[in-house]
Amino acid sequence: MRKHQVTNGVYYLDASEAGFRILCGCPMDSVKSLMRAGLIQTIDDEKWEWHSGPNTILLSDISFQNGELCNLTEFPLMHMLYKQGMAIPKHPGYGPKPMIVGIPEQIRGQFEYLERGVGGLTAEEIHDCLGMDQDAKDTLVAFKQRFKAGQPFIHDLIAFKEILTNEEPYELAPDFFVVRLGLNVYLFQYKDQEEIIDLTLTENQTYGVPYNLDFHPTTRRDFSVIHSGEGNGWDIDHPCMASILCASGQYYLIDAGPNILESLNKLGIGLNEVVGLFQTHTHDDHFAGLASILRSEHRLKFYATPVVRLSVVKKLCSLMNFDESNFARFFEVCDLVPEKWTQLDGFEVLPIMSPHPVETNIFYFRKRIRDGYRSYGHLADVISKRVYRSFMEVEDEHQAILKSQFDHVWKTYYLPVNVKKIDVNSGLIHGDPEDYINDPSGKVIFSHITGSLPINQQTMGSIAVFGSEDLLINSSKDYLSILAEKFFQEYFPGTTISDHEIILGQRRILINAGHIILRDGSAPEYVYFILSGLIRWISPDSSTVKTMGTGSIISEEEVLLNQNSYGTYIANSYIKAIRIPKEIFREFIAENTDMQEYTLKLKERRLLQENLLFRNINTRSILDSVLKSARFEEYKENVILNDFEKDSISLIVRGMAGIFYSSTLVETLSEGSFYGLDDFLHVVFEETMTVTALSDILIMHIPMEIFLETPVLLWSLIETADNTSKLISQTIRVLETTNQNMALTLGEEDDV
């Protein structure tokens, strides 16, 4: 056996001698990462061109780590089934089914996640969905049935192997065993060979990104499209098809594909600057980054037709093991009516249902100008005429519906706009460039491709590189000044615009990505007020990394307290900032605040942010709400802590505690840990779970409502609860196995 590290927390175990090639860990873009590492190769013989690669997936025990989903198996399985040919009879790769190995909770989640990814909603769910008339529902079902015709259920194509208990060998093949050693740690054994796989990410680690993107500064516009991804699920050099719409100076995402935060970072756009998301459908190349954007400090607006929104909710919740009602805590749901223009904040959107195996809406956007409109069309995963015509040839109960809709579908695809981006990856579920030779739009961009277009297709449509922009309406306002004024009114209530001019009128600068703004231990000469972009703060011992974004004030505390910098500040993207001489900033604070009270509040926020739970909270009002509402209590050793403060999250400030189930210690909690997660645990308890003080302890109780109103904090609760749930589930299985063994032993003694 040979173990290859693919990226952080992801390994490729080559046990070909036992018939297994195992992808251990399966985050976003796993297939691209394997390709980048050279672990997937193209094989070309006289009849077939196909790929090598894994035939088995080892799931992570926990659903997400450090904010990223861990078990996105949809594309790796498609690669096995079709790129490797494991589901194609007479193909060289045809043979045993791909296998998924994991604990029961993750296997169960995979069943629904994969079914939703292949087929979306059921016919019954579509007919029960509001927001569409009956004819539209019948048409949607007819298309979905046609795409699915003759296709086996995903479960029939895959073998699943549950790992129930720790320390017990499970046989995958003769002489080939897997043993779960603990949470996310597995041992593989083949004859006299052994390899340990640890899928755990450390505190500051993230899964790697398989492509390198250039940094680009962006500008807030009245109306523009920034191209943030033009590739597909197999293109190792580019993110998947996506766009960022800027309207009235506000940023909106169109789809949340894999590694969406990496794309935003390279464009200098912080997640907190994103107002909303327009979602086309739930295939992972358009959907896998959705969990990443849940970690905003405010609820993003979620725009889709009701049937697409329902499809998204069901797939996401199956992956994250949480209740569907939580979706509305992360997003402000804004359902759109199909084929109706909806007025938003200074622009309009038109969603149109598009034929696809899962519920899909394409989008058109427009903004009024003096003599008409400027417009953009985003056509993700459209059907080709070739495939559509083949659908109409089948004589069944759906044929009449499909024939009646042909002209309408192509009328909607051919709506004239100034700029139109079209998915043209061909195959069964993507468009063909030839279909758009006579498209009446001003500019047609072909996307969702691998590599370059063939020469003949390069004359049919443009391509867009990462970070390029199609400017539709230039900026009529200085949006950064408006944003800066908004922050100052929040930070310094009671002051006037004229009071702010001394600060906001200082020199505005552009800082290059990678530049060290302030080094640890140095004396700052300036305060930097961040207008756009992202900054990384690294602690003096490099153990802690924190991201700071728009609205942050760098070196504020150091200047006011006349101290050297604690930690290093590095530009993580292009930064636009106001650079303020320290004397001017001190004078402004002295004249407009109580200096002692202001600096005390700065210290309190910093201390709060030293806790992992609040580290990446930059919004001052959230931190101040926590500080204002928090209550401190001391408890003695052996006290059952979760008998107190039922409607709060309790943070351990000093001391230690333990989570117990049936008198068994499940997890030890130290300083910085928190409890109060009962409503988020995915385990039905037969016995009471307790949190008990293991020493004298100081607890900070914070009202639950603050967490429920702040997506990034709610995410932390769900992520921690997911981890704890898996530990409790394992404890329950161990106790059940122990009790069964004891019962068998007693039975044998009785027989004697």
Side-chain angles (χ1 to χ4, degrees):
M1 291 191 296
R2 287 178 296 172
K3 179 175 74 172
H4 307 267
Q5 182 165 9
V6 180
T7 182
N8 296 329
V10 181
Y11 298 87
Y12 181 77
L13 183 65
D14 187 347
S16 297
E17 58 268 50
F20 282 83
R21 303 177 305 278
I22 306 174
L23 172 60
C24 305
C26 197
M28 296 182 284
D29 275 341
S30 294
V31 173
K32 292 186 181 184
S33 295
L34 288 168
M35 290 178 173
R36 179 64 68 188
L39 296 168
I40 289 177
Q41 297 289 333
T42 300
I43 303 168
D44 195 355
D45 59 27
E46 294 180 359
K47 184 176 180 182
W48 301 91
E49 181 178 291
W50 50 301
H51 285 183
S52 65
N55 59 11
T56 301
I57 297 171
L58 173 66
L59 299 174
S60 167
D61 291 348
I62 46 184
S63 301
F64 25 81
Q65 295 190 80
N66 297 344
E68 296 185 46
L69 290 168
C70 301
N71 293 323
L72 291 160
T73 62
E74 182 177 289
F75 265 73
L77 284 171
M78 282 198 296
H79 185 270
M80 295 177 198
L81 294 170
Y82 304 112
K83 293 286 187 178
Q84 296 185 45
M86 296 175 71
I88 304 173
K90 299 182 180 180
H91 190 285
Y94 185 69
K97 298 177 181 178
M99 180 180 289
I100 295 181
V101 179
I103 61 175
E105 294 83 359
Q106 294 298 353
I107 294 291
R108 286 196 296 269
Q110 288 291 306
F111 285 150
E112 182 171 2
Y113 154 71
L114 291 171
E115 207 60 68
R116 297 295 182 186
V118 171
L121 301 176
T122 66
E124 292 76 16
E125 288 169 336
I126 291 171
H127 285 297
D128 290 341
C129 187
L130 302 176
M132 295 176 68
D133 61 38
Q134 191 58 48
D135 287 344
K137 292 177 180 179
D138 291 341
T139 301
L140 178 57
V141 170
F143 274 114
K144 283 164 61 71
Q145 290 296 326
R146 186 65 91 244
F147 277 109
K148 192 175 182 180
Q151 298 291 325
F153 287 102
I154 193 72
H155 301 18
D156 297 329
L157 296 171
I158 302 165
F160 294 90
K161 180 70 172 180
E162 290 187 348
I163 307 299
L164 295 172
T165 57
N166 288 358
E167 308 295 340
E168 180 180 337
Y170 287 81
E171 190 172 43
L172 303 181
D175 296 323
F176 187 54
F177 298 88
V178 59
V179 182
R180 186 175 186 264
L181 302 180
L183 188 71
N184 253 3
V185 182
Y186 287 83
L187 169 68
F188 286 90
Q189 300 172 318
Y190 181 66
K191 296 182 178 179
D192 60 344
Q193 304 175 62
E194 292 186 344
E195 287 287 356
I196 292 177
I197 301 291
D198 187 347
L199 302 178
T200 307
L201 293 179
T202 60
E203 183 179 304
N204 293 317
Q205 278 187 333
T206 58
Y207 294 116
V209 179
Y211 37 76
N212 292 316
L213 302 176
D214 293 331
F215 289 99
H216 295 269
T218 56
T219 301
R220 293 173 181 257
R221 310 284 194 182
D222 280 7
F223 198 42
S224 71
V225 180
I226 302 167
H227 301 290
S228 55
E230 312 312 320
N232 57 43
W234 320 115
D235 179 4
I236 64 173
D237 295 318
H238 303 96
C240 296
M241 177 179 170
S243 293
I244 297 170
L245 189 74
C246 189
S248 301
Q250 306 270 32
Y251 292 119
Y252 299 83
L253 303 179
I254 307 176
D255 281 344
N259 295 302
I260 182 64
L261 294 187
E262 174 73 4
S263 296
L264 287 173
N265 177 62
K266 290 301 173 71
L267 296 169
I269 300 173
L271 182 54
N272 288 336
E273 297 180 71
V274 177
V275 174
L277 165 70
F278 294 91
Q279 188 72 44
T280 63
H281 66 294
T282 62
H283 280 158
D284 276 4
D285 54 334
H286 299 260
F287 160 92
L290 198 62
S292 301
I293 68 170
L294 297 182
R295 293 179 290 152
S296 174
E297 294 176 40
H298 64 273
R299 287 196 305 157
L300 274 69
K301 296 178 179 179
F302 184 88
Y303 297 103
T305 55
V307 70
V308 170
R309 186 251 308 158
L310 182 61
S311 180
V312 167
V313 170
K314 290 189 176 298
K315 186 177 181 184
L316 181 66
C317 292
S318 68
L319 266 174
M320 296 181 62
N321 290 318
F322 71 21
D323 189 86
E324 293 178 12
S325 61
N326 279 322
F327 188 82
R329 295 191 184 279
F330 286 104
F331 290 106
E332 180 184 340
V333 173
C334 303
D335 282 344
L336 302 174
V337 180
E339 303 201 23
K340 178 180 178 181
W341 285 102
T342 299
Q343 180 71 45
L344 301 180
D345 188 11
F347 68 106
E348 296 175 82
V349 59
L350 173 70
I352 299 173
M353 300 306 299
S354 180
H356 205 51
V358 299
E359 296 70 26
T360 299
N361 45 221
I362 60 174
F363 290 109
Y364 287 96
F365 304 90
R366 70 185 185 187
K367 185 175 177 66
R368 184 179 290 278
I369 55 176
R370 185 177 303 172
D371 56 350
Y373 292 95
R374 300 288 286 172
S375 52
Y376 170 65
H378 192 92
L379 280 60
D381 281 21
V382 291
I383 195 172
S384 68
K385 286 185 177 179
R386 172 183 53 82
V387 170
Y388 199 133
R389 288 181 176 127
S390 72
F391 283 180
M392 292 191 297
E393 293 172 359
V394 179
E395 297 181 1
D396 62 6
E397 70 275 16
H398 299 308
Q399 185 183 44
I401 292 177
L402 301 186
K403 285 184 174 181
S404 69
Q405 290 294 311
F406 181 85
D407 289 341
H408 177 72
V409 167
W410 288 96
K411 179 181 178 182
T412 62
Y413 285 0
Y414 288 157
L415 285 176
V417 289
N418 297 107
V419 178
K420 182 181 291 181
K421 185 187 290 187
I422 308 165
D423 169 352
V424 293
N425 198 37
S426 298
L428 180 65
I429 59 174
H430 305 106
D432 284 330
E434 291 81 1
D435 292 338
Y436 298 92
I437 293 174
N438 297 315
D439 189 290
S441 298
K443 178 180 182 180
V444 171
I445 298 172
F446 289 154
S447 186
H448 210 286
I449 56 179
T450 300
S452 301
L453 289 168
I455 292 295
N456 66 312
Q457 294 180 1
Q458 292 178 22
T459 64
M460 302 174 188
S462 303
I463 60 171
V465 299
F466 177 82
S468 62
E469 178 186 35
D470 275 296
L471 178 58
L472 298 168
I473 306 175
N474 210 338
S475 306
S476 60
K477 303 174 182 177
D478 183 352
Y479 288 109
L480 289 186
S481 293
I482 295 171
L483 184 67
E485 181 60 41
K486 172 180 172 290
F487 279 116
F488 260 60
Q489 287 175 352
E490 176 188 341
Y491 296 167
F492 307 105
T495 56
T496 65
I497 293 177
S498 59
D499 295 327
H500 303 166
E501 286 178 353
I502 189 172
I503 298 295
L504 302 186
Q506 296 298 315
R507 183 183 176 190
R508 191 181 295 183
I509 62 172
L510 177 68
I511 302 173
N512 289 330
H515 176 72
I516 295 178
I517 300 170
L518 191 61
R519 198 181 300 275
D520 178 55
S522 62
E525 294 297 321
Y526 298 95
V527 170
Y528 298 87
F529 180 52
I530 307 304
L531 301 177
S532 71
L534 298 167
I535 288 175
R536 239 177 336 132
W537 176 83
I538 303 175
S539 63
D541 61 0
S542 301
S543 63
T544 303
V545 179
K546 172 186 168 185
T547 301
M548 308 171 72
T550 299
S552 298
I553 303 179
I554 304 302
S555 71
E556 178 181 23
E557 185 175 350
E558 290 91 337
V559 162
L560 294 179
L561 298 177
N562 199 27
Q563 297 175 343
N564 290 343
S565 174
Y566 179 74
T568 299
Y569 298 86
I570 303 174
N572 214 34
S573 67
Y574 280 101
I575 302 291
K576 294 177 183 177
I578 298 173
R579 190 175 68 182
I580 310 154
K582 61 183 180 181
E583 295 82 4
I584 292 177
F585 188 77
R586 282 185 189 141
E587 182 181 342
F588 173 82
I589 296 298
E591 290 180 355
N592 291 282
T593 71
D594 180 320
M595 177 73 84
Q596 184 175 357
E597 181 181 332
Y598 187 83
T599 53
L600 177 61
K601 187 68 71 176
L602 286 178
K603 291 179 181 178
E604 290 177 341
R605 293 190 195 110
R606 177 173 52 80
L607 289 172
L608 186 62
Q609 288 176 304
E610 288 178 359
N611 181 269
L612 184 62
L613 186 58
F614 301 101
R615 180 169 298 164
N616 289 314
I617 297 290
N618 291 309
T619 303
R620 295 189 176 197
S621 58
I622 296 174
L623 295 170
D624 290 345
S625 294
V626 172
L627 292 167
K628 183 178 180 179
S629 60
R631 191 172 61 80
F632 293 84
E633 289 285 347
E634 292 186 342
Y635 300 95
K636 295 293 185 181
E637 184 178 356
N638 295 324
V639 168
I640 297 177
L641 298 171
N642 54 333
D643 283 347
F644 306 94
E645 303 294 334
K646 294 290 187 182
D647 296 323
S648 70
I649 294 298
S650 300
L651 185 67
I652 298 175
V653 179
R654 185 180 64 248
M656 297 182 69
I659 297 176
F660 290 83
Y661 180 82
S662 186
S663 302
T664 300
L665 178 63
V666 174
E667 186 177 9
T668 301
L669 305 178
S670 57
E671 293 179 8
S673 301
F674 54 92
Y675 61 90
L677 304 170
D678 298 29
D679 291 340
F680 304 98
L681 296 172
H682 319 307
V683 181
V684 177
F685 301 121
E686 294 182 2
E687 300 187 34
T688 304
M689 184 198 76
T690 60
V691 181
T692 304
L694 300 179
S695 66
D696 291 351
I697 195 166
L698 176 63
I699 301 294
M700 177 192 223
H701 297 294
I702 306 166
M704 178 67 78
E705 62 189 54
I706 292 175
F707 292 84
L708 298 181
E709 293 171 356
T710 311
V712 65
L713 292 178
L714 178 58
W715 173 272
S716 294
L717 301 190
I718 291 174
E719 183 168 353
T720 303
D722 180 69
N723 192 324
T724 303
S725 293
K726 301 307 187 297
L727 292 171
I728 295 173
S729 295
Q730 184 59 36
T731 300
I732 292 172
R733 285 195 289 271
V734 169
L735 291 173
E736 289 175 347
T737 302
T738 302
N739 291 337
Q740 290 170 4
N741 292 338
M742 288 178 63
L744 288 172
T745 301
L746 291 173
E748 291 172 358
E749 291 176 355
D750 291 342
D751 291 341
V752 173

